[in-house]
Structures are given as structure tokens and as C-alpha cells.
Amino acid sequence: IPSTSHLEACQFVAEDLTAQLSLRIVQWLEGLASKSLDLERKVRGSHVGSYLPTSGIWHHTQRYLKKGTSNSSTIHHLDFDAPTREHAHQLPDDKKQDESLLEDLWTLLRAGRLEEACELCRSAGQPWRAATLCPFGGLDQFPSVEALLKNGKNRTLQAIELESGIAHQWRLWKWASYCASEKIADQDGGKFEAALYAAQCSNLQRMLPTCTDWESACWAMAKSWLDVQVDLELAHLPPGRVDERFGDVIEGSPASSDRAFQPSNGPENWPLQILNQQPRQLSDLLQKLHSGEMVHESVTRACKEQQRQIEMILMLGDIPRLLDLIWSWVAPSEDDQSVFRPDGDPQMIRFGAHLVLVLRYLLNEEIKDDFREKIMNVGDLILHMYAMFLFSKQHEELVGIYASQLARHRCIDLFVHMMELRLNSSVHVKYKIFISAMEYLPFSAGDDSKGSFEEIIERVLSRSREIRAGKYDKLSDVAEQHRQQSLQKAMAVQWLCFTPPSTIADVKDASTKLLLRALIHSNVLFREFSLISMWRVPAMPIGAHTLLSFLAEPLKQLSESSDTSEDYNVSENLKEFQDWSEYYSCDATYRNWLKIELDNAEISLELSSEEKQRAISAAKETLNSSLSLLLRKENPWLVLPEDNNYELTESVFLELHATAMLCLPSGECMCPDATVCTTLMSALYSSVSEEEVSNRQLMVNVSISSMDNYRIDVVLRCLAVVGDGLGAHELNDGGILGTVMAAGFKGELPRFQNGVTMEISRLDAWYSTKEGSLEGPATYIVRGLCRRCCLPEVILRSMQVSVSLMESGITPESHDELIELVASPETGFLHLFSQQQLQEFLLFEREYSIFQMELQEEELSS
């Protein structure tokens, strides 16, 4: 089948990358213009080209000529060539209507609606104009596959070119359109009519005056550039017909590009006439938009707009430059380098984030190393910025979509930061963040490139226990400060208590792991909280009770699942949790009684019988709960098997790391200095014998905390021995490290200020190697330390309540039993007491005995 110029043009564009790029730019801009027309029709109910039939006929001029009137500036004939031939014009009304019609034709042509433009010409009574716009029987000459398919089996062009040769008629039509556009412009025939014919022949000089916006100017240049590339290709098609005079111009020689060609050059030399107007490459095209002499000033201004800069860089395909540009627009200012505060235009941040996602998806397999680094690093910064923007606008549920595309460390940092900011928010807000992370991130770490939910939670829990510089406007109430800080630590556990969505994989397994982690971490916090709740005040240890409220229902379900308990070794952790639950219940009853006692003490009048009975009931409840805790023979409180028992042959060391505040008996904070640290270190050494220090290689270090000048860091280290680090620990008192620290917590350090206590902020115990490398947690030390501090305090509180009851004339039924518990070697309670605690115990017993004797005397006298 004989080829045609259109077929050759389509084949050329399909094979040439530069021509393909030009084609895509033209189709993109025409598509935008076409959508704009459709929107206008939808909104206004009409659009360009809505004319009455024959509105393009010059009726006013026709009536004027029928009257026989003559004017040199008015045409004397009504054919369409008359204005050009006679160097005259229609009457103003006809010319104005003609200009309006031509403007609409240009608008349709600009939108790629050539057929609609031709139909408008015919309906307006100007079929001759339709013929000039659509030669070769109205065939679509656009060099695209769509146009080729649209033309189908039409053989008109093939028949024409069989006779005249390929592209001969093509060049003739282009040359004729060029001549028409130049002639119309020279005679001031109207810029739209000149532009119509200039668009058919790439005559930019006549097209650009009508292009007052960026998209139109870019379309005009891209379309002209595409048509010229096709024209040059078609001019070379016939073998031996390539004129050597084309060479300089085609190669872009400066000398030839400045040369002006007149229409008289003839169609055989096409497209030499307009080559000097065309760009040589895409960068030249964009440069012409920026600073071309023929470009309207509004187009030049538009080139500085963000949207246009993005579009031009996308045309060039310079993605790294585009990413850098977008980041420069949305990045925080130099004065504030915090990437967690989204600045800049929200729309630009949104666009940049979605552009990054699209580019990563499209170019995933083709990204080169240097390009990959750019799209990953800068792309992550943009995605991170948009995620924080969504977060700042309370769209937490959407954050996971974008955070999941970040590098592992950035994803984890982002969620940790958000969770910390929303720590005290409502359950609904926190659950949105939880769901967002669970749905879009893997639950467990598997791929190094992706952050996992478990890693995020571990970081959140770890950071919740970190020591941070406090704001000490009032240093007189250390206990209250620790109460509030414990609440913040407890709130972090709530992230583990939510129910995972059923849509994730292995939802049951994930739910169990979350609750187990909550259980383990809660026990760690319970140990710390117990050591800061020794003060005999009515205020409840708010952190501990918050934890209990979070975990009550979830752990009830966990304990009821027998298979879960076996698979995950839940029982020991659950038993410790239950022990702490009982302890804090006992603690709460005591504080409730103490509050009632203090309230009653403030009443100057005699108490009513109801008030007295209320105090007595609270006292009895306190004694009952305390004895219930102390009388556990089968499973003593906080006595659990140690998981990490080391073999006797191993050389193992033990370490205890603590951060604490020094508190005076008045409750005020004691600001530490180097002298205080040295004195405290010496006092800690003195809490055990020199022989033990030597045999156990005990080392003590005390320093001011680097995180908070009001806190101290204490590090104890010793050699593990049988019964304390190696094998089972039968005494359950924390060993030698527990002994040393207990003296500090109880305020009974020798050679140190009397009554000064260490109020714990963080406490951890570890097994370590000879070189000092930490191995695993030595939980038995902290548990034993808690027994050494908590159990004597429970007993002393019970003695206090017993004395109060006896003073009220009520003999407690369990007082003698309480004395026997302390004295009995089977319970081992006696060696948990310090010297001062034993003295206090005896003083309570003395007061009890005095009140008891007074009561007996009253009974005898009565």
C-alpha cells in the first residue's frame, strides 16, 4: 500500500523521542483547554461557537453595497478574498462580528477541536474558511495514532500524493497558510485571523500576539516545534531531493537562524520560511517563554509562578531538580530547622507529597543510584512534611498512608513524635493514630526499609521512662512532682491497650503481643512507682492506678485464654501484675483511711457517731487488706522465679542503674553538687561492710544527671555469687545491691545527712560481663528491693492503724498476728527492716500498749 505524508509523520513521531515529547505537551495543553470549555458550558449553559446560522455573513456590508454607496476603505465585493485583494474592510459591525467569530475559532483550535471549529465556520456561513483550515477532504493531519485510526481507510490523501508526490501538497498548503497569515497581518486584517492560519504553518510571529497566558504561549511554541520537526522529516523523505541549503538551518547555525525568508521562496523550500522562529530543543522553548521578544509580558510573569516552574521542569524531565525546588518552597526557615513544623503553602506540600508517591511508583524499576538517593532522601523530607501537616490539622487517620512510604528511621521517629504530642489527648484521637499505624505498617520488623509498629511502641515506651529536664517553679513538694511524672509514664502504656483492627494479618497474635508487652512494661513501672509512694499522705499514686485502669479488662481476657498463657509465658508476668494490683489496693485503703483521719482532725467539734464509725470501718478495711497481703504463705508477695539464672561456672557481674532526686525530710528538693555526690557515694559504700565491698568487688558511682541538674545518676556494680546472681535467690531481698539502694531510699545512709531520701525516677538492674557489657535484666534485684522497701512500710502502716483503733477504744483482732509475722523467722520479714524502721515499729507497739492499758483501766473502773 503506498505511504502518505500523514502515515510517515505518525511513524516519525512514534520513533523520535523529541517529537513524542512535543506531542505529549501539545495534547496535555489542548486537553486542559478542552476541559475548560466543557466546564464553561456546564456552568454558564453556553460556550464558544454558540451562534445563529449565517452569523458570519456580512449582512451590513451587503446592504450598504446595494444602496450604491462607495467608500475607498470599504470593500466593493463580498467574496472572502475581497479585503485582501482590495486592501479594504467590511463595515465595522460586520468586522466586529467577524472578529468575534475568529476569536471563537482560535479558542476551539487552541483546545484541539478542529472539527468543531470547521463546523462553526459552516454554520456561520463561511464554508470556505472551513476548507482552508481542513485541507485534503477534512482529514485529521495531527501526527498521532489516534488521528490515524480516526481517518480509517480514507484514501483521499493517498490518491492526491500518488499524483503529486508525498508531502508536495502538504508543503504547498503550509506555504499558502504562511502567505495568508503574513498578508492578513500586514494589512491589519485582525490578529485572530492571522493566528488561525499561522497555527497551520508554525508561524510563531503571528501566533504569539494572541497568546496572553502561559498555557497558550507554551502550546503555540510546542505545536509549532512539533509541526516543524515533522515538516523537516517529510522534506527529507524523497531520496535525492534533500536540498543542501537546508543544512545550516536544520543544524541550527547562528548565521542561518538570523536569515529572513520571504514567501517568494516558494513551497519547495518549506519549512525554511519559519525555521528561524523555532527552538532547537526543549530548553530553548522554555527560555523563549521566559524572555522571548514576541512573548506577552503576562506569560513572562507567569513563568515565575510555582505551578509553571513545576510544569516546565517536568517537561524537561529533571526530577531531582524538581524535588529540590519543591523542598525549598516547603522547608522550614533557616531560623527554625525543626522538620516537625510544616511551613509553606499547604497545597504545595500536598502536591509535593503525591508527586513523590507517583514518581516512586512509576520509576521504581528504572531509578539509578544517584537519582534513587535524591528521590528517597528529598522525597522523604517532603512526605514527612505532609504527614506532619495532616497531623497538625487533626487528620491522624491519614498519616499512616504517607508515613509508611518513609525510610524506616524517619517513619519510626514520626510516629513516636506524634504519639508523644497526643499522649494526653482523648481516647478517640489516640485510637486514630493507633489504627493508622496498625493498618499501614507491618506489625513486626521484617524489612529493614520499613518501620514496624513494634519498633515504634518500643521507642515510645523507652522514651517515656527517659529523664527530661523539669521545670521546678516549686521545689518544696518532690512527692507531688513524682506523682505527676508517673502519670505521664503510665499514659504511654495506653497505646498497647487498644484493640487492633480485624483487617490486619494475624490479628489475634498481634493483640496478644501488645497486651504481653503492656504487662511487662507495667510491671517495670509498678516497681518504680512503689518506691516513690512511701510518703504517708492521702494523695493516691496516680500513675499506678492509671495503669491498673488501663489493663484491668484486657488482662482479664488474656488470663482467661489458656493457650495464650502457655505460648507466650504470660503466667509469671501476670502473677507479678496481680501482686502489684493487690499491693496498690492495700495502699489505696490506707490512704483512704489517712484522708478520713486528717479530715476528722481538722474538725474542732466532737465527731458524730457516723464519722467515728466511718473512720473505724476504713481502719478495719486497711488492716484486713494489709494482712491479706502479708499472710500469703503459698505464694509470698513478689516472690517469683528468676528467668535469667546464670550457671555457677560463669563469670557474671550485676549492675543497678538509678536516677533519683535527693529529698529533705521537709519534702523539699536538695540540689546536688560535686561535694554531695562524693559524700553520697561514700555513704553508699558504708551501707555494707568492707569485707563485702572487697569480696563482691562492689563499685559505686554517683554523678549529677546530664539530663537534669536536680537529679543524680547512681551506678552500682558487683560480682555475682551463689544466691545473689547465680542460681536461685532465696532471700528475695535484692541482694547486696538491693541492700545498698534500700538504705538510700529509706534515708538511713551512714555518714550522710540524716533523713535525706532518694526519690527514684528510674531504676534498672542488669546482668553484665566482666568487660561491662550489659546482657539481660536482673529483675530479681528490683523485685527484692521493692520487697525490702514496701513490706516494712505496709507493716508500719498497719501498726499506725492499729494504734489509731486502740486509741478509739477498739481492739484490733489482728494486732498480735501482725507482731508474730514480723518476729517469725519463716516469713523473713524481720531482716527487711532497717534499724530506724524497727525503732518506729517498737514505738508504735509502745503506743498501742499504752492505749491498751488505758482502755483496760477504764473498763475496770467502770
Side-chain angles (χ1 to χ4, degrees):
I1 301 175
S3 183
T4 64
S5 56
H6 185 235
L7 180 60
E8 296 291 350
C10 292
Q11 289 177 343
F12 164 69
V13 172
E15 296 170 0
D16 187 88
L17 295 179
T18 304
Q20 285 180 29
L21 176 60
S22 307
L23 177 68
R24 285 196 293 270
I25 294 173
V26 172
Q27 290 177 324
W28 164 56
L29 293 169
E30 288 182 348
L32 292 178
S34 183
K35 288 180 180 178
S36 178
L37 289 180
D38 290 337
L39 180 62
E40 185 179 6
R41 173 169 18 188
K42 184 177 181 181
V43 172
R44 296 185 181 180
S46 61
H47 65 102
V48 295
S50 299
Y51 290 94
L52 295 174
T54 70
S55 59
I57 298 176
W58 305 329
H59 293 291
H60 295 87
T61 305
Q62 184 181 35
R63 286 194 292 269
Y64 177 81
L65 293 177
K66 283 183 177 179
K67 293 178 181 178
T69 310
S70 177
N71 190 327
S72 60
S73 61
T74 305
I75 57 175
H76 294 79
H77 300 83
L78 294 175
D79 60 285
F80 55 85
D81 280 334
T84 306
R85 184 179 66 252
E86 299 177 7
H87 301 283
H89 298 287
Q90 317 92 300
L91 287 179
D93 288 342
D94 288 334
K95 184 174 179 58
K96 182 179 179 181
Q97 189 165 334
D98 225 26
E99 278 295 310
S100 179
L101 173 63
L102 291 167
E103 183 178 358
D104 284 356
L105 291 174
W106 169 256
T107 302
L108 292 170
L109 193 66
R110 161 73 181 82
R113 299 186 176 187
L114 183 59
E115 283 190 7
E116 195 171 334
C118 292
E119 185 59 37
L120 176 59
C121 292
R122 297 185 188 97
S123 64
Q126 296 186 358
W128 53 269
R129 196 182 298 279
T132 61
L133 296 177
C134 297
F136 312 117
L139 290 177
D140 191 343
Q141 296 296 302
F142 194 64
S144 67
V145 176
E146 293 82 2
L148 200 62
L149 294 174
K150 178 182 174 183
N151 292 335
K153 297 181 179 180
N154 193 311
R155 297 286 185 260
T156 303
L157 183 60
Q158 190 179 85
I160 293 172
E161 294 188 337
L162 276 175
E163 180 179 347
S164 62
I166 291 180
H168 176 76
Q169 295 292 106
W170 176 280
R171 288 192 295 273
L172 183 61
W173 173 58
K174 293 273 187 176
W175 176 77
S177 297
Y178 174 73
C179 293
S181 65
E182 288 294 318
K183 193 75 172 177
I184 294 169
D186 289 343
Q187 296 183 5
D188 194 22
K191 64 178 182 179
F192 287 109
E193 186 170 23
L196 279 175
Y197 294 103
Q200 313 303 315
C201 60
S202 308
N203 189 1
L204 274 176
Q205 184 178 357
R206 305 307 178 190
M207 293 171 67
L208 289 176
T210 63
C211 301
T212 56
D213 62 276
W214 184 89
E215 290 182 1
S216 295
C218 186
W219 169 81
M221 288 188 179
K223 186 176 188 306
S224 297
W225 188 33
L226 171 63
D227 290 346
V228 167
Q229 291 177 76
V230 172
D231 290 343
L232 289 172
E233 179 66 19
L234 293 178
H236 291 171
L237 279 176
R241 292 285 304 278
V242 180
D243 193 328
E244 306 232 348
R245 290 176 297 170
F246 278 44
D248 289 341
V249 180
I250 295 170
E251 296 300 325
S253 168
S256 63
S257 63
D258 292 337
R259 191 182 308 162
F261 293 93
Q262 301 300 324
S264 58
N265 286 112
E268 67 278 0
N269 292 327
W270 186 263
L272 287 174
Q273 290 86 339
I274 43 83
L275 269 183
N276 62 326
Q277 303 178 28
Q278 309 304 320
R280 300 294 178 261
Q281 52 191 357
L282 182 57
S283 58
D284 293 340
L285 186 152
L286 300 180
Q287 184 59 41
K288 281 178 174 287
L289 285 174
H290 275 285
S291 56
E293 294 179 0
M294 297 183 292
V295 174
H296 196 276
E297 61 178 6
S298 63
V299 176
T300 304
R301 286 197 304 269
C303 288
K304 299 176 183 179
E305 297 173 2
Q306 291 181 343
Q307 176 187 350
R308 303 310 177 192
Q309 290 185 54
I310 292 171
E311 290 169 343
M312 288 186 285
I313 295 175
L314 280 174
M315 290 182 202
L316 292 169
D318 192 351
I319 303 302
R321 178 185 165 197
L322 176 60
L323 294 175
D324 284 335
L325 183 65
I326 293 177
W327 175 242
S328 71
W329 290 334
V330 303
S333 62
E334 293 182 2
D335 297 333
D336 179 15
Q337 287 301 317
S338 171
V339 295
F340 291 118
R341 293 182 59 189
D343 295 334
D345 179 15
Q347 298 298 333
M348 184 55 64
I349 299 174
R350 180 182 292 110
F351 170 78
H354 290 94
L355 177 66
V356 169
L357 295 180
V358 170
L359 289 175
R360 287 182 179 180
Y361 177 78
L362 293 177
L363 306 175
N364 186 38
E365 302 297 331
E366 304 173 11
I367 301 179
K368 299 178 181 178
D369 291 341
D370 54 343
F371 185 16
R372 179 179 295 276
E373 183 179 357
K374 177 71 69 174
I375 200 171
M376 297 309 293
N377 291 340
V378 180
D380 270 6
L381 293 175
I382 297 171
L383 286 172
H384 184 280
M385 184 66 69
Y386 184 53
M388 281 307 300
F389 170 75
L390 290 172
F391 176 76
S392 67
K393 298 300 181 184
Q394 287 75 49
H395 292 301
E396 293 89 352
E397 68 279 3
L398 301 177
V399 170
I401 301 173
Y402 304 93
S404 64
Q405 303 301 316
L406 295 173
R408 177 174 167 270
H409 69 282
R410 287 196 175 104
C411 175
I412 294 173
D413 289 345
L414 174 63
F415 267 106
V416 169
H417 180 72
M418 291 191 301
M419 287 178 167
E420 289 179 346
L421 289 179
R422 294 289 190 265
L423 187 63
N424 297 309
S425 297
S426 66
V427 174
H428 173 69
V429 171
K430 295 174 76 172
Y431 187 63
K432 287 200 296 182
I433 299 177
F434 173 83
I435 289 294
S436 184
M438 289 291 289
E439 287 186 337
Y440 295 103
L441 301 179
F443 181 78
S444 301
D447 185 355
D448 290 339
S449 64
K450 295 287 185 182
S452 67
F453 187 80
E454 280 188 326
E455 291 173 302
I456 293 169
I457 285 298
E458 285 300 324
R459 180 83 65 83
V460 169
L461 296 180
S462 175
R463 283 176 57 86
S464 70
R465 295 183 66 217
E466 288 179 0
I467 305 302
R468 301 174 189 179
K471 297 179 180 179
Y472 303 110
D473 299 328
K474 182 181 178 184
L475 298 176
S476 60
D477 196 350
V478 176
E480 182 59 26
Q481 292 174 23
H482 277 76
R483 258 175 35 89
Q484 297 303 322
Q485 290 167 4
S486 69
L487 176 61
Q488 296 305 303
K489 291 182 180 181
M491 292 299 291
V493 178
Q494 190 176 23
W495 297 110
L496 295 159
C497 300
F498 292 123
T499 303
S502 58
T503 53
I504 68 169
D506 301 323
V507 60
K508 184 178 180 181
D509 185 59
S511 180
T512 303
K513 286 181 178 179
L514 287 178
L515 289 179
L516 179 60
R517 188 67 190 88
L519 186 63
I520 294 171
H521 190 76
S522 296
N523 287 336
V524 171
L525 295 182
F526 281 139
R527 297 168 204 148
E528 292 180 357
F529 296 164
S530 69
L531 298 174
I532 61 172
S533 58
M534 296 290 144
W535 296 83
R536 295 173 192 172
V537 293
M540 296 287 181
I542 188 171
H545 287 281
T546 300
L547 281 179
L548 291 170
S549 66
F550 285 159
L551 290 165
E553 188 60 31
L555 291 184
K556 181 181 178 182
Q557 300 173 5
L558 188 66
S559 60
E560 292 173 354
S561 177
S562 57
D563 56 338
T564 299
S565 300
E566 295 175 2
D567 293 344
Y568 292 94
N569 195 23
V570 174
S571 58
E572 291 180 8
N573 291 294
L574 190 58
K575 181 182 182 302
E576 182 178 359
F577 178 87
Q578 292 167 346
D579 281 357
W580 284 117
S581 178
E582 184 175 358
Y583 170 79
Y584 284 109
S585 174
C586 174
D587 178 86
T589 57
Y590 167 76
R591 295 182 191 278
N592 180 53
W593 167 81
L594 185 60
K595 185 177 186 302
I596 294 173
E597 285 291 304
L598 294 176
D599 290 344
N600 290 344
E602 293 178 358
I603 301 175
S604 57
L605 302 175
E606 184 178 353
L607 297 176
S608 65
S609 58
E610 291 181 359
E611 290 172 331
K612 291 179 180 178
Q613 187 59 42
R614 180 166 168 249
I616 293 171
S617 299
K620 289 182 177 180
E621 183 182 2
T622 301
L623 285 177
N624 290 336
S625 63
S626 299
L627 282 173
S628 175
L629 179 74
L630 297 170
L631 287 172
R632 291 167 47 173
K633 296 180 179 180
E634 297 298 328
N635 57 337
W637 183 75
L638 222 59
V639 174
L640 300 166
E642 179 66 21
D643 293 334
N644 296 324
N645 289 332
Y646 282 73
E647 298 296 331
L648 300 181
T649 56
E650 296 187 33
S651 177
V652 180
F653 283 79
L654 303 172
E655 290 191 23
L656 188 145
H657 298 188
T659 302
M661 295 179 73
L662 296 176
C663 186
L664 297 170
S666 62
E668 294 181 4
C669 174
M670 178 179 176
C671 187
D673 55 23
T675 302
V676 170
C677 290
T678 303
T679 306
L680 178 59
M681 185 165 62
S682 176
L684 290 172
Y685 270 120
S686 302
S687 61
V688 293
S689 66
E690 292 184 4
E691 182 180 359
E692 285 183 298
V693 171
S694 176
N695 292 340
R696 297 293 299 275
Q697 302 178 32
L698 178 65
M699 295 178 63
V700 179
N701 182 59
V702 180
S703 60
I704 299 174
S705 173
S706 60
M707 302 302 297
D708 187 350
N709 291 333
Y710 284 91
R711 287 185 169 90
I712 57 171
D713 289 332
V714 180
V715 178
L716 308 181
R717 176 180 166 86
C718 71
L719 181 67
V721 296
V722 176
D724 186 5
L726 299 179
H729 184 67
E730 296 179 356
L731 293 178
N732 299 303
D733 62 355
I736 186 174
L737 300 186
T739 301
V740 174
M741 289 304 294
F745 292 149
K746 295 179 181 183
E748 299 181 28
L749 287 171
R751 304 174 189 174
F752 197 65
Q753 296 184 40
N754 188 36
V756 174
T757 59
M758 293 168 55
E759 293 296 316
I760 195 71
S761 298
R762 178 166 181 166
L763 184 67
D764 295 289
W766 306 88
Y767 292 99
S768 70
T769 62
K770 186 176 182 179
E771 294 76 20
S773 175
L774 300 181
E775 294 292 322
T779 312
Y780 83 93
I781 295 177
V782 185
R783 286 176 181 156
L785 178 58
C786 291
R787 280 177 55 84
R788 188 181 279 272
C789 294
C790 296
L791 288 177
E793 180 62 22
V794 170
I795 293 171
L796 291 174
R797 290 176 179 181
S798 299
M799 291 294 291
Q800 181 187 8
V801 174
S802 293
V803 170
S804 176
L805 279 175
M806 183 56 70
E807 185 181 9
S808 302
I810 306 296
T811 303
E813 299 176 359
S814 57
H815 180 75
D816 293 340
E817 193 174 8
L818 195 62
I819 302 296
E820 291 175 4
L821 276 174
V822 176
S824 172
E826 295 179 1
T827 60
F829 288 161
L830 185 60
H831 89 281
L832 300 179
F833 279 75
S834 66
Q835 185 177 355
Q836 289 186 12
Q837 285 177 323
L838 280 174
Q839 290 176 357
E840 186 181 8
F841 179 82
L842 294 174
L843 286 174
F844 277 133
E845 176 60 19
R846 180 176 176 274
E847 287 185 52
Y848 180 87
S849 299
I850 291 173
F851 286 131
Q852 186 180 40
M853 287 188 291
E854 290 177 352
L855 180 62
Q856 290 173 352
E857 289 177 359
E858 289 178 4
E859 290 175 351
L860 288 174
S861 62
S862 62

